[in-house]
């Protein structure tokens, strides 16, 4: 005789399985502020690399084309730390509004010192508004160890990472030859270390 319905035990089993799957699919919302920041910054560095590869600035007729590379620049202004994502299209070493990237989620221009609140590290995440809040340590193509209390990551049309572009005298001058660390420290001493890999530009985050 064929059964036309599930037994109580089968229904309970199905409900338990569905509950387990639902629990596993729920994202972890217990991130601390420094972890939230670390993931955000890593995501925006990756987005900067994406812009560099999709918006190819390479121009063999322009000897200084590399100054237009897409970059994410960290700096301190009025005792607050923040960052901006932009391409210096006119090569004047200024961050003009039209050169700033648009955040695909919020639609805001990605300037932490304007309306892009997520990019203001001090106001949004408690990152120290001093030189100790943002520290960069990188080795570049000429063998120089670059350490700074601000930081910048730039990418060329192939997605290769650089530690800077504004003062470069050639395309390869600041290209990374070893992994580069950017350390963010909040008012409680919590740290996020964002590592950008040489050549590939892949990004990872640790919380020591």
């Amino acid at each position: 005789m064929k059964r036309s319905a599930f037994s109580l035990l089968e229904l309970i089993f199905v409900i338990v399985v569905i509950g387990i799957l639902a629990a596993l699919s729920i994202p972890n919302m217990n991130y601390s502020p420094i972890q939230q920041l670390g993931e955000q910054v890593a995501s925006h560095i990756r987005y900067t690399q994406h812009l560099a590869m999709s918006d190819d600035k390479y121009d063999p007729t322009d000897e200084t084309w590399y100054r237009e590379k897409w970059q994410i620049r960290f700096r301190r202004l009025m005792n607050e730390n923040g960052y901006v994502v932009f391409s210096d299209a006119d090569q004047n070493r200024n961050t003009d509004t039209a050169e700033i990237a648009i955040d695909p989620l919020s639609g805001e221009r990605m300037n932490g010192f304007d309306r892009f609140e997520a990019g203001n590290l001090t106001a949004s995440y408690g990152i120290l508004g001093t030189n100790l809040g943002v520290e960069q340590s990188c080795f570049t193509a000429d063998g120089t160890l670059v350490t700074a209390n601000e930081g910048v990551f730039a990418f060329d049309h192939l997605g290769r990472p650089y530690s800077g572009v504004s003062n470069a005298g050639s395309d390869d001058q600041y290209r990374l030859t070893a992994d580069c660390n950017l350390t963010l420290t909040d008012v409680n001493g919590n740290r996020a270390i964002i590592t950008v890999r040489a050549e590939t530009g892949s990004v990872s985050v640790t919380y020591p």
Side-chain angles (χ1 to χ4, degrees):
M1 182 176 180
K2 293 184 177 180
R3 292 187 305 170
S4 59
F6 292 108
S7 69
L8 180 60
L9 182 61
E10 288 172 329
L11 288 174
I12 292 174
F13 178 77
V14 170
I15 291 172
V16 169
V17 170
I18 292 174
I20 292 173
L21 293 175
L24 293 175
S25 65
I26 297 174
N28 182 5
M29 304 302 291
N30 295 323
Y31 280 172
S32 67
I34 196 70
Q35 289 175 314
Q36 293 176 12
L37 174 60
E39 297 305 319
Q40 172 188 297
V41 171
S43 174
H44 287 162
I45 293 175
R46 295 185 189 105
Y47 182 57
T48 305
Q49 183 185 40
H50 164 75
L51 289 173
M53 297 177 70
S54 60
D55 182 21
D56 187 350
K57 297 295 185 181
Y58 177 68
D59 182 0
T61 65
D62 181 2
E63 294 182 353
T64 58
W65 70 271
Y66 53 85
R67 295 176 184 170
E68 301 180 29
K69 291 172 183 168
W70 280 97
Q71 57 189 290
I72 178 170
R73 181 177 295 275
F74 298 80
R75 58 182 299 222
R76 189 164 60 98
L77 182 66
M78 299 295 291
N79 208 35
E80 290 186 333
N81 280 308
Y83 62 86
V84 57
V85 178
F86 71 103
S87 166
D88 189 10
D90 57 12
Q91 301 186 26
N92 68 354
R93 300 184 180 182
N94 292 324
T95 311
D96 304 320
T97 299
E99 298 172 336
I100 300 174
I102 302 294
D103 178 29
L105 294 179
S106 68
E108 298 286 350
R109 293 198 178 273
M110 300 177 73
N111 181 357
F113 299 102
D114 194 3
R115 299 179 182 179
F116 186 57
E117 295 181 0
N120 189 314
L121 305 182
T122 301
S124 297
Y125 294 99
I127 296 302
L128 293 174
T130 67
N131 286 343
L132 298 178
V134 178
E135 299 174 276
Q136 186 184 43
S137 177
C138 307
F139 278 101
T140 58
D142 59 2
T144 302
L145 173 63
V146 178
T147 58
N149 292 323
E150 296 178 344
V152 57
F153 293 109
F155 297 90
D156 64 14
H157 57 298
L158 300 176
R160 296 178 300 184
Y162 296 70
S163 68
V165 292
S166 61
N167 297 319
S170 66
D171 173 28
D172 280 347
Q173 182 175 354
Y174 292 123
R175 184 160 57 88
L176 298 185
T177 57
D179 297 348
C180 180
N181 292 328
L182 181 80
T183 302
L184 306 175
T185 306
D186 69 14
V187 293
N188 298 315
N190 301 311
R191 293 187 298 159
I193 301 178
I194 293 94
T195 301
V196 176
R197 310 291 179 192
E199 292 300 323
T200 65
S202 63
V203 183
S204 61
V205 192
T206 56
Y207 306 98

